[in-house]
Amino acid sequence: MAAEKRVVFRSPWLPLALLAPQAAVIGVFFFWPAAQTVMQSFQQQDAFGTSTSWVGVENFVHLFQDRSYIESFKTTAIFSVSVAVFGIAISLLLAYFADRAIRGALVYKTLLIWPYAVAPAVAGVLWLFMFAPSIGVVAYALRKSGIDWNHLLNGDQAMLLIIMAAIWKQISYNFLFFLAGLSSIPKSLIEAAAIDGAKPWRRFWTIVFPLLSPTTFFLLVINIVYAFFDTFGIVDAATEGGPGKDTAILVYKVYYDGFKALDLGGSAAQSVIIMSIVVVLTVLQFKFVEKKVNY
Amino acid sequence: MVERRPLLTFLTHTVLLIGVAIVAFPVYLTFVASTHTAQDIVQAPMPIVPGDQFVHNYVAALTGSEKGAGSGAPVGRMMWVSLVSALVIAIGKIAISLLSAFAIVYFRFPFRMFFFWAIFITLMLPVEVRIFPTYKVISDLHMLNTYAGLTIPLIASATATFLFRQFFLTVPDELAEAARVDGAGPMRFFKDVLVPLSATSIAALFVIQFIYGWNQYLWPLLVTTEESMYPVVIGIKRMIAGGDAQNAWNLVMATAILAMLPPALVVVLMQKWFVKGLVDTEK
Amino acid sequence: MQSKSLIASLSLAAIASFTTPAHAQVEIQWWHAMSGPLGEWVNDLVKGYNDSQKDYKVVATYKGTYPETLTAGIAAFRAGNQPDILQVFEVGTATMMASKGAIVPVGKVMKDSGLKFDPSGYVSAVAGYYTAPNGQMLSMPFNSSTTIFYYNKDAFKAAGLDPEKAPKTWAEVALAAAKLKASGHACPFTTSWISWTQLESFSAWHNVEFATKGNGMGGNDARLTFNGPLQVRHIQDLENMAKQGLFVYKGRENKADTTFPSGECAMLTGSAGLLGNVKKNAKFNYGVAPLPYYEDVAGAPQNTVIGGASLWVMSGKPADHYKGVASFFNYLSSPEVQSESHKRTGYLPITTAAFKLTEQSGFYKQNPGADVAVNQMIRKTTDKSRGIRLGNFLQIRTIIDEELEQVWAGKATAKQALDKAVARGNEQLEKFQAANKS
């Protein structure tokens, strides 16, 4: 990795001791089950595990022969890029403005962070109340202004719906971290630039944004991981992958196959595929994007 | 702000108001729905101004007195389980990740990057997919129906480790140098310099991880078989009748609002710590 | 001193062991997916049973939605601590059955317990779904509903239709829809659970196969046949209605349910279990009628297919647990308990005795429409109408949802969609067959 500290401590055992608690937890509760899941991707079994047989790469081959699975790569790409880019941009905008010490800042910040506390189970219901083509408040308003909102049959609208829902969830999250990042930029730097005659727009791009880059990089990586892995709940509540398969992102199929359809081999194979994709994406980000980060 | 720019201030308020209107709208709707009768809510379209059932609905939600709530499980007990879980998870995650990030950033040792990536990969396999083997591990360790089972598996945190890594990398080398020169060991440096500097990151993470722990649904559902260990989100979910029976939406929304109060409190309290952190770094 | 207190405590222990009952209460674990008012119903049932006897104590635990509950049961089984009773939705029947040795058939449990158990007393259209071809009951029907037809009497009147005459045939439905649309109604007809109402129940109602081998009852090598001429004709009719705005698609599963009590849609085919919701929330006069049919099809109307869930008994528990389960099932099946449940929830009574008891109490007279569902089911079933048992059924329903959505969106014809659904569905059946080799 590009980012390294010049000054380090030397100790043969201390770092391992520091890492031990987390290593133990993930060893037992993640890697051990994960290894079994990977094994499952090479097997075919019934839901209860009473009849298991090895099928080699058959699960993988089966997936790539399915046209709709290949299609969902494209759907996922569009979805993830939209969620990450717009999620970060919108929250950065809001965080920047909220950071200016104006009246009511505390209220604004609280109201913008609080939606993160809405439990996913309740959020799904809320989106239904807002966008359901029949009783939805927002759908009703849209219809009144001439837009025929029907995400049940209109694939593009359905895609828009899940992108909006996913971004909504993340705005509060990104906002919070941007706030934290902004608050650690010394005001003295900005004052000095202002005295030098730099306008707010310039100050933002030459001082604030570079100093914020560690946070931005963090959020970029995390948002992409979020878009790839944590969004199946939203899809399940809003569109269930429909209409047809227009909003069936990769991870939704993983969730559906593993959890509802109880096709353990298939969903394990898909998990391996997604995991590989995101690992590559993340490595690429660390290799190329992190170069631009100012530490 | 730095200088007076009335136009920019106006723009600031405008943007923020629009932002709040959009982002907080669903929460507003939840509140509105919690002040109407169930029948009014299902008539299309739902009303968007509060109704007159506030007292009635909230009393019913708190005391479980109205029929249709799905169970007699006391809301208080569930809130308590949620509170303990959320606190243990938030504090545990932060503590563990501070130590891990410190080790990865400030030391050189074999497998250093391997550990970082190993921790990172835990974000990439949703629990729903590895549910059967993970459940078996918990069951074999006799951790079902315990606070330990509810919290320990969730205590590793790639997000927190990664965030602290980012932050530690911005800490000037001179500080570590100075500590070394003073003869202070790494743990002294960690305790006296790094942790206090990380106050804002810790505050931000505390909010996020507390809410994360508070909103856990699937994991507690699986590892508890006694309803006395159910956190409050399960309580909300079970009020929503799947299938055909009619939902008492007004009570569901009232309970949801109640369930959002502790996290809101955490958000407000943590903001004070942001400001404090800011003042401290103003040296 | 020490030895004195030791003797004292030993004596106390000895006395205690004489006064406690010879055997402790056996706890029976029941995992279910009933939330909201239905959850209260479950708790009341359990309380009623526990209060009625001292040997067993049933503990009911809510484990989430149907898929979540099934997953919890499977996870527990794999870890060796499964519950005694598990509530599984009807589409999971094949999964439960195909699992070698994970369950114990209810018929066996009841027989072994020595309690009086008469399979013929159960309504064949209800229990038949959960019965093996050789007559052995595999799981105990618990909450079963069926597909019925709701219509808005006030809207009918406003459209110039006779509010007391419910459309009996699909042709009449189309005519009524046209009149409703002409009178300004934006959503004349819609449906919930489209696969269940318009294909599964539809097929059974017309005594036509949904899949080979008696809809899958005969083995895992059954294949789908719902793209036969009658089903294609029906979906084509719906397609035409959709093009004219007479049939409006309102979403998968039961998302369309709220459109009827809110007055948005004038006619709805959906679950009988919705009746309670309609009664509570509808601000208009409504009517309930049997599912429409095509009168030119011989054998129609036959009977409709149930939906809902049943109770499965897990294997690997101690013998006295099974006695407790049998005793509990006996209680649940008693006419009084069944009748009360039926009146309270709208779910079907599973025994003819319970139906008769309800009839005698005058319930149906006081609550018009409550007997529509039952009347569709109290009939002798045929091999094609007893029920459906297909592997990967959940996926097949999703496939049907997806392909039919192409029809409503105008992207495919009825025949194309059904053919594609059958082809994709058969792949699922092949996968299930391969994964569950017997």
Side-chain angles (χ1 to χ4, degrees), chain B residues 189-268:
Chain B
F189 172 67
F190 176 76
K191 194 165 77 79
D192 293 340
V193 181
L194 269 192
V195 173
L197 276 181
S198 315
T200 15
S201 296
I202 293 179
L205 274 174
F206 187 81
V207 173
I208 296 293
Q209 305 298 14
F210 181 87
I211 294 178
Y212 166 82
W214 182 264
N215 282 341
Q216 279 300 307
Y217 173 71
L218 186 66
W219 185 248
L221 190 68
L222 280 165
V223 302
T224 57
T225 51
E226 284 157 37
E227 299 191 348
S228 61
M229 291 301 282
Y230 274 176
V232 75
V233 176
I234 295 186
I236 295 179
K237 201 70 196 293
R238 77 183 288 175
M239 289 172 66
I240 303 178
D244 321 309
Q246 61 258 56
N247 286 309
W249 285 118
N250 51 343
L251 295 184
V252 173
M253 296 299 171
T255 312
I257 292 275
L258 286 174
M260 280 197 272
L261 289 180
L265 199 65
V266 169
V267 170
V268 171

Side-chain angles (χ1 to χ4, degrees), chain A residues 54-131:
Chain A
W54 287 89
V55 292
V57 292
E58 195 182 292
N59 286 327
F60 293 93
V61 170
H62 214 91
L63 281 172
F64 285 108
Q65 281 173 346
D66 182 356
R67 258 217 89 204
S68 67
Y69 184 66
I70 307 287
E71 295 262 332
S72 67
F73 276 89
K74 184 165 140 233
T75 316
T76 309
I78 297 175
F79 175 75
S80 307
V81 170
S82 309
V83 169
V85 168
F86 288 114
I88 290 182
I90 296 175
S91 5
L92 180 56
L93 182 75
L94 288 172
Y96 175 74
F97 280 120
D99 184 55
R100 297 168 58 93
I102 47 169
R103 280 183 314 189
L106 186 67
V107 174
Y108 283 127
K109 289 178 195 171
T110 306
L111 286 177
L112 283 170
I113 299 175
W114 199 25
Y116 189 71
V118 174
V122 178
V125 167
L126 286 175
W127 281 89
L128 209 70
F129 271 137
M130 292 200 296
F131 282 97

Side-chain angles (χ1 to χ4, degrees), chain A:
Chain A
M1 265 179 351
E4 306 258 310
K5 277 252 176 275
R6 280 170 295 135
V7 182
V8 293
F9 294 95
R10 302 223 170 275
S11 169
W13 61 271
L14 185 57
L16 295 172
L18 292 170
L19 278 169
Q22 185 143 213
V25 169
I26 65 175
V28 171
F29 296 108
F30 179 80
F31 280 103
W32 174 236
Q36 292 181 53
T37 305
V38 173
M39 253 197 349
Q40 261 175 12
S41 68
F42 298 108
Q43 295 172 327
Q44 192 170 52
Q45 52 179 259
D46 69 312
F48 283 92
T50 56
S51 90
T52 312
S53 57
W54 287 89
V55 292
V57 292
E58 195 182 292
N59 286 327
F60 293 93
V61 170
H62 214 91
L63 281 172
F64 285 108
Q65 281 173 346
D66 182 356
R67 258 217 89 204
S68 67
Y69 184 66
I70 307 287
E71 295 262 332
S72 67
F73 276 89
K74 184 165 140 233
T75 316
T76 309
I78 297 175
F79 175 75
S80 307
V81 170
S82 309
V83 169
V85 168
F86 288 114
I88 290 182
I90 296 175
S91 5
L92 180 56
L93 182 75
L94 288 172
Y96 175 74
F97 280 120
D99 184 55
R100 297 168 58 93
I102 47 169
R103 280 183 314 189
L106 186 67
V107 174
Y108 283 127
K109 289 178 195 171
T110 306
L111 286 177
L112 283 170
I113 299 175
W114 199 25
Y116 189 71
V118 174
V122 178
V125 167
L126 286 175
W127 281 89
L128 209 70
F129 271 137
M130 292 200 296
F131 282 97
S134 28
I135 63 172
V137 174
V138 177
Y140 186 75
L142 284 172
R143 268 207 307 273
K144 281 262 149 73
S145 48
I147 305 175
D148 180 27
W149 179 267
N150 187 6
H151 67 264
L152 297 173
L153 291 177
N154 182 323
D156 292 333
Q157 285 177 354
M159 196 63 179
L160 192 62
L161 179 65
I162 60 168
I163 290 178
M164 282 196 295
I167 290 180
W168 175 77
K169 188 103 219 290
Q170 276 304 89
I171 286 184
S172 301
Y173 184 92
N174 298 339
F175 175 79
L176 180 58
F177 285 111
F178 272 132
L179 266 190
L182 283 170
S183 70
S184 62
I185 294 177
K187 290 286 181 280
S188 46
L189 273 182
I190 306 195
E191 278 164 14
I195 291 173
D196 278 350
K199 297 213 163 107
W201 177 256
R202 245 199 90 154
R203 293 201 303 261
F204 179 79
W205 286 109
T206 56
I207 301 179
V208 177
F209 192 71
L211 283 178
L212 208 50
S213 55
T215 308
T216 313
F217 180 66
F218 164 78
L219 286 175
L220 178 68
V221 174
I222 294 293
N223 269 268
I224 294 208
V225 169
Y226 161 79
F228 267 94
F229 290 105
D230 283 337
T231 43
F232 57 83
I234 291 173
V235 176
D236 196 40
T239 60
E240 293 176 283
K245 279 208 182 301
D246 290 347
T247 55
I249 56 177
L250 286 170
V251 75
Y252 180 68
K253 191 160 150 61
V254 169
Y255 167 71
Y256 180 85
D257 282 354
F259 198 80
K260 294 195 168 176
L262 297 170
D263 170 14
L264 302 167
S267 95
Q270 291 171 56
S271 304
V272 170
I273 293 175
I274 304 188
M275 205 172 7
S276 315
I277 295 176
V278 180
V279 166
V280 168
L281 269 179
T282 312
V283 168
L284 288 175
Q285 285 174 78
F286 271 96
K287 239 177 115 59
F288 295 109
V289 181
E290 205 189 17
K291 282 206 178 68
K292 314 252 179 81
V293 176
N294 298 66
Y295 284 114

Side-chain angles (χ1 to χ4, degrees), chain C residues 284-308:
Chain C
F284 50 83
N285 291 314
Y286 60 90
V288 181
L291 204 62
Y293 62 100
Y294 288 101
E295 52 190 353
D296 56 322
V297 175
Q302 171 53 40
N303 62 274
T304 48
V305 153
I306 56 167

Side-chain angles (χ1 to χ4, degrees), chain C residues 72-243:
Chain C
I74 294 176
F77 178 80
R78 284 166 170 255
N81 50 17
Q82 63 271 32
D84 299 280
I85 307 173
L86 186 70
Q87 183 193 20
V88 180
F89 50 173
E90 85 283 50
V91 294
T93 306
T95 304
M96 297 304 285
M97 278 199 54
S99 64
K100 278 205 291 286
I103 57 119
V104 181
V106 165
K108 181 168 177 350
V109 173
M110 302 304 284
K111 205 158 83 95
D112 289 350
S113 71
L115 291 167
K116 202 166 83 80
F117 176 60
D118 175 22
S120 64
Y122 290 83
V123 177
S124 81
V126 176
Y129 200 102
Y130 302 112
T131 305
N134 66 2
Q136 187 187 48
M137 193 184 273
L138 300 159
S139 62
M140 172 69 65
F142 180 62
N143 52 321
S144 306
S145 60
T146 192
T147 50
I148 58 175
F149 180 78
Y150 298 86
Y151 69 102
N152 186 331
K153 286 189 178 173
D154 290 349
F156 265 43
K157 208 146 143 214
L161 294 158
D162 181 352
E164 298 313 314
K165 258 193 87 201
K168 248 182 33 204
T169 66
W170 284 108
E172 286 174 25
V173 171
L175 278 169
K179 280 213 156 141
L180 283 162
K181 184 138 174 81
S183 79
H185 216 280
C187 174
F189 171 65
T190 189
T191 183
S192 281
W193 298 107
I194 201 164
S195 169
W196 184 38
T197 54
Q198 307 304 331
L199 285 176
E200 298 165 37
S201 221
F202 174 82
S203 303
W205 198 223
H206 293 84
N207 201 19
V208 161
E209 264 189 346
F210 180 82
T212 59
K213 298 210 154 213
N215 295 332
M217 295 270 181
N220 279 345
D221 49 343
R223 295 290 178 263
L224 299 165
T225 57
F226 59 76
N227 57 343
L230 181 62
Q231 291 101 334
V232 173
R233 167 185 170 192
H234 181 55
I235 300 296
Q236 256 166 7
D237 285 348
L238 286 179
E239 186 186 352
N240 290 335
M241 282 177 73
K243 288 207 178 84

